[in-house]
Amino acid sequence: QSALTQPPSASGSPGQSVTISCTGTSSDIGGYNYVSWYQQHPGKVPKLMIYEVTKRPSGVPDRFSGSKSGNTASLTVSGLQAEDEADYYCSSYGGRKNYVFGTGTKVTVL
Amino acid sequence: EVQLVESGGGLVLPGGSLRLSCAASGFTFSNFWMSWVRQAPGKGLEWVANINQDGSQNYVDSVKGRFTISRDNAKNSLDLQMNSLRVEDTAVYYCAREGAWHLDLWGRGTLVTVSS
């Protein structure tokens, strides 16, 4: 199964918003509401930020929000802060009791 | 404390074998599906395998027939037996707890290097 497609990079100034897209197919993103997003700082462990398209785990700021339209999911980070600079990965249920991850997006806070 | 701790990584020759382990604590291990996810140096995340509470397993195509995931609910442990290792299996291997098709708890990872 092919990886989900994400832009390699995205950036914004502090206080601004940045949106990351994640494009799949009708067999993964488009077929299920099981999209999740992970934040990974350099040398650190991935952290769950969004699950089931729009839900935030306890402790994740409400500046992080998720959405989905058709075969594309999106993560929006509002009110960018310096600590939001990290790599972000989307993931989806792949339809055959497996996961498929995105290619990853490096977010830079200018 | 709720945590996952991996062990067993190291340097292995191509064609060799290695067994990774993950010790779970702070939660009811037997209630959860568990996964292994890997990340090659400088690359993205790749899901490798998972196992449900009863031992039913799923694998990414690239490791089918070479890797075996298993669990011991009595010992709160998860294993990954890796055989016929290839250079392209070099990665940090993370143990992760599953929610409904998301991974809500990750270990710190263990590095596997396949090289001659």
Side-chain angles (χ1 to χ4, degrees):
Chain A
Q1 192 151 9
S2 299
L4 307 174
T5 301
Q6 298 180 233
S9 62
S11 62
S13 299
Q16 290 187 332
S17 294
V18 65
T19 297
I20 304 166
S21 63
C22 171
T23 301
T25 69
S26 58
S27 296
D28 38 63
I29 291 177
Y32 310 93
N33 288 321
Y34 288 127
V35 177
S36 52
W37 290 89
Y38 303 86
Q39 177 192 65
Q40 187 179 34
H41 289 105
K44 301 298 185 181
V45 176
K47 176 185 176 183
L48 178 67
M49 304 301 285
I50 295 288
Y51 67 100
E52 293 176 16
V53 181
T54 61
K55 298 178 181 178
R56 274 189 315 276
S58 174
V60 173
D62 60 6
R63 303 185 292 102
F64 291 85
S65 62
S67 63
K68 189 187 89 166
S69 177
N71 298 336
T72 298
S74 299
L75 174 72
T76 297
V77 185
S78 305
L80 265 176
Q81 299 183 4
E83 59 261 36
D84 300 332
E85 185 161 296
D87 293 326
Y88 291 83
Y89 295 91
C90 61
S91 178
S92 173
Y93 175 58
R96 294 185 298 163
K97 297 187 179 179
N98 62 354
Y99 290 81
V100 58
F101 277 98
T103 50
T105 298
K106 180 177 180 60
V107 169
T108 301
V109 181
L110 301 172
Chain B
E1 181 184 0
V2 177
Q3 64 176 356
L4 299 168
V5 179
E6 302 93 337
S7 60
L11 175 62
V12 61
L13 294 171
S17 298
L18 210 57
R19 189 176 186 90
L20 307 183
S21 294
C22 171
S25 59
F27 64 97
T28 306
F29 178 76
S30 59
N31 287 351
F32 292 89
W33 289 51
M34 297 294 297
S35 268
W36 287 97
V37 176
R38 66 185 179 184
Q39 186 170 34
K43 303 297 184 182
L45 301 171
E46 180 184 34
W47 175 80
V48 174
N50 68 3
I51 186 168
N52 73 2
Q53 297 91 328
D54 298 326
S56 178
Q57 308 145 34
N58 301 290
Y59 299 92
V60 69
D61 287 346
S62 60
V63 308
K64 283 180 181 176
R66 300 189 300 123
F67 290 12
T68 303
I69 188 172
S70 61
R71 66 190 297 162
D72 185 332
N73 289 335
K75 295 182 178 179
N76 294 335
S77 68
L78 177 74
D79 286 348
L80 185 68
Q81 176 65 43
M82 303 185 296
N83 298 330
S84 303
L85 281 161
R86 304 167 180 168
V87 171
E88 56 264 34
D89 294 319
T90 295
V92 173
Y93 284 73
Y94 295 101
C95 165
R97 186 180 74 178
E98 296 196 17
W101 297 106
H102 59 271
L103 302 164
D104 65 356
L105 178 67
W106 296 63
R108 291 184 175 273
T110 187
L111 176 63
V112 172
T113 303
V114 185
S115 175
S116 56

